[in-house]
Amino acid sequence: KDLLKTKRIGRDILYFNSIDSTNSKAKQLASDGKGEGTVIISEEQTKGRGRLGRNWVSPKGKGVWMSIIIRPDIQPIDASKITQVTAAAVSKSILELGIKNYIKWPNDIIINNKKVCGILTEMSGELNKINYIVIGIGINVNLDENEIPNDIKDIATSLKIESGKKVSRKQLVANIFNNFEELYEELLNKNEITHSIEICKENSAVLGKEIRVIFRNKEIRGKAVDLTDEGELLIENQEGKIQKIISGEVSIRGV
Ligand code: ADP
């Protein structure tokens, strides 16, 4: 707590030794009325989730497995901006520990082409009003090589493996709360995510590269050329046509 500069984010932390999924717990607590800034952290997840119900490996004591509840007064259509704000906050926070990292748009953070962090944003609300958003953040912090399951060895790594040193989870979490609150306030106060997008561009793993994107069940190939102020990815195809891809609907292969 002494490391925290925040007013709201992380001032109410619910800490678990073991839980099925921090996002599931956060959703349950949010629908029971838990307020903005509440964080659920667990030492391990027995049923950690990725996108589309995929499994997220979350061994005990080795990572940051947490979910933040927020209740922003923004349009549901803008909810994907939260993923960009979070990716920027986490990337900046890891960099503050001296570890260079890249954002694989829209929701992963990678080092040496392997995932160190995944972000899973889930929303509940109506057409014109968000009830709550739960932001799941899973970071592989102190896993050793032999603690990464074989089936994800080629795609997953940890901060310890990449930096060669043990990382303080407490410091990392405090950095994330501080950075997230600052970037999130830009969205709340100005309805802009300019600062987050700047960080996403600086630390991008995809901009300037030839990529393949699965978007609305169709494959799009081309060069990732820019991020918009709203956080959408612009891809230029062979004919020079620019296509805008909305965050949250794609997977990128080949980066
Ligand atoms: P993506 O964003 O790459 O489409 P998800 O966000 O859905 O993927 O994350 C789930 C996938 O990530 C799993 O199917 C698995 O391949 C991989 N994965 C699972 N646990 C971890 C982990 N701890 N670190 C890195 N990758 C993981």
Side-chain angles (χ1 to χ4, degrees):
K1 292 242 156 145
D2 42 320
L3 301 170
L4 275 190
K5 292 183 252 167
T6 61
K7 290 197 287 289
R8 283 173 298 179
I9 305 296
R11 288 289 163 187
D12 181 15
I13 297 179
L14 302 176
Y15 180 81
F16 294 84
N17 191 34
S18 179
I19 208 173
D20 51 354
S21 147
T22 59
N23 257 35
S24 300
K25 188 61 163 186
K27 280 160 81 174
Q28 183 195 325
L29 290 166
S31 48
D32 291 344
K34 264 284 179 199
E36 167 141 306
T38 303
V39 177
I40 292 70
I41 297 189
S42 186
E43 285 292 316
E44 77 171 341
Q45 296 185 104
T46 54
K47 282 193 187 135
R49 292 188 283 115
R51 295 191 298 178
L52 308 171
R54 289 185 285 241
N55 174 50
W56 188 264
V57 174
S58 320
K60 194 166 220 146
K62 298 291 175 175
V64 167
W65 325 122
M66 69 174 178
S67 300
I68 305 173
I69 297 171
I70 53 169
R71 299 177 178 279
D73 186 13
I74 59 172
Q75 290 299 308
I77 197 169
D78 289 330
S80 65
K81 289 179 181 172
I82 295 295
T83 305
Q84 301 309 300
V85 170
T86 308
V90 174
S91 180
K92 187 175 177 205
S93 301
I94 294 173
L95 192 59
E96 284 169 351
L97 301 174
I99 306 170
K100 186 81 188 130
N101 65 91
Y102 299 89
I103 300 172
K104 185 175 158 192
W105 186 91
N107 68 323
D108 290 329
I109 296 185
I110 63 174
I111 301 177
N112 280 325
N113 277 331
K114 294 180 182 175
K115 226 191 283 193
V116 280
C117 168
I119 295 162
L120 179 66
T121 308
E122 299 186 284
M123 180 185 70
S124 158
E126 292 143 44
L127 216 49
N128 294 310
K129 196 178 156 25
I130 290 173
N131 180 14
Y132 62 81
I133 292 177
V134 161
I135 310 161
I137 301 173
I139 312 174
N140 302 329
V141 183
N142 289 320
L143 288 86
D144 286 313
E145 209 79 69
N146 63 6
E147 288 164 328
I148 305 217
N150 277 327
D151 56 322
I152 58 169
K153 272 240 155 37
D154 294 341
I155 57 161
T157 188
S158 75
L159 297 178
K160 185 179 177 203
I161 293 168
E162 298 302 324
S163 70
K165 57 175 198 245
K166 198 165 176 259
V167 169
S168 160
R169 290 185 295 162
K170 207 163 110 184
Q171 181 71 59
L172 177 59
V173 167
N175 289 359
I176 292 171
F177 293 163
N178 292 337
N179 287 320
F180 177 82
E181 185 164 289
E182 191 185 324
L183 295 168
Y184 175 55
E185 281 188 346
E186 187 187 17
L187 175 61
L188 295 185
N189 298 337
K190 299 197 212 157
N191 201 25
E192 278 173 15
I193 53 167
T194 313
H195 194 182
S196 297
I197 295 301
E198 242 166 60
I199 296 169
C200 288
K201 285 186 187 179
E202 268 166 30
N203 298 352
S204 176
V206 303
L207 289 182
K209 298 210 175 116
E210 294 294 330
I211 62 172
R212 291 190 294 152
V213 173
I214 314 292
F215 180 57
R216 295 186 178 139
N217 283 328
K218 266 180 54 193
E219 185 181 275
I220 297 169
R221 282 168 183 259
K223 188 174 174 182
V225 286
D226 207 0
L227 282 180
T228 68
D229 293 342
E230 270 70 53
E232 302 118 332
L233 184 67
L234 298 182
I235 296 185
E236 186 180 347
N237 68 12
Q238 278 92 334
E239 293 92 60
K241 207 181 126 219
I242 306 268
Q243 223 173 330
K244 188 156 59 174
I245 316 276
I246 301 156
S247 131
E249 299 183 38
V250 305
S251 312
I252 294 177
R253 311 271 154 74
V255 291

